[in-house]
Amino acid sequence: MSGQEGVQPGPEQQATVRVIKPSQFDANTPQTPGMERVAAVSRELAGSQGIWAGITVVQPRVASGVHHHGELETVIYVVSGHSQVRWGEGMQQSEEVEPGDFIYIPPFVPHQEINPSPDMPSRWVIIRTGQEPIVVNLEPETSTSKIEENKATHPQL
């Protein structure tokens, strides 16, 4: 127990609900090749202390670079698109995902997002357990990308 339970914030710390409109999202966040991340809830945008949330878009026929988020836990909610997530050393494990699915990624687990659709972007809501924008890209930027480049090693695409 911290001794702070039930203590109301003072006037200088007044807690309040924040609504962040899409036009306010912040693209100034670490990126992984093959996908686009924007922050929606962060210390800067909402005054959040312990969580970060945003949107990720993976364009059609694209596989993101392999990456992890350090000590952060990540929850992903699939909003649109039928995609695949790979994880583990060598990306040997995979699962198909679709709208309505939640994905949990533990700390330090290498993973990759793949959108095999020929014409529909995949959109995901991302929530992480910290404010630091930790993105550790494990491949050189030039090695990611188009699904055709991955077919030689992953024929199931």
Side-chain angles (χ1 to χ4, degrees):
M1 296 261 228
S2 68
Q4 296 295 317
E5 290 78 20
V7 175
Q8 296 295 317
E12 69 283 349
Q13 303 172 334
Q14 190 61 28
T16 187
V17 171
R18 291 289 187 86
V19 175
I20 298 90
K21 301 286 188 180
S23 63
Q24 297 170 295
F25 292 174
D26 183 4
N28 187 24
T29 186
Q31 301 294 320
T32 296
M35 61 195 310
E36 176 189 358
R37 284 187 196 95
V38 295
V41 174
S42 65
R43 184 176 295 118
E44 294 79 16
L45 293 171
S48 61
Q49 299 299 305
I51 63 171
W52 178 96
I55 302 289
T56 294
V57 177
V58 181
Q59 294 301 323
R61 302 200 53 80
V62 170
S64 76
V66 176
H67 61 284
H68 69 76
H69 302 286
E71 69 267 9
L72 302 177
E73 291 179 283
T74 301
V75 171
I76 300 169
Y77 176 75
V78 181
V79 176
S80 66
H82 292 263
S83 301
Q84 181 182 30
V85 63
R86 287 192 196 142
W87 68 93
E89 296 302 320
M91 300 295 102
Q92 76 278 11
Q93 298 179 49
S94 68
E95 182 88 27
E96 301 293 320
V97 297
E98 60 189 29
D101 289 349
F102 277 87
I103 304 161
Y104 169 71
I105 301 176
F108 298 102
V109 172
H111 59 281
Q112 176 183 45
E113 294 85 352
I114 299 165
N115 181 359
S117 171
D119 56 3
M120 177 180 259
S122 183
R123 297 184 198 290
W124 300 4
V125 171
I126 311 292
I127 302 166
R128 293 201 195 109
T129 59
Q131 286 293 315
E132 295 304 314
I134 300 171
V135 176
V136 179
N137 292 311
L138 300 173
E139 299 178 317
E141 195 165 324
T142 57
S143 72
T144 64
S145 284
K146 294 288 179 203
I147 287 181
E148 292 77 21
E149 295 172 12
N150 288 323
K151 283 186 178 177
T153 57
H154 303 287
Q156 73 274 20
L157 286 177

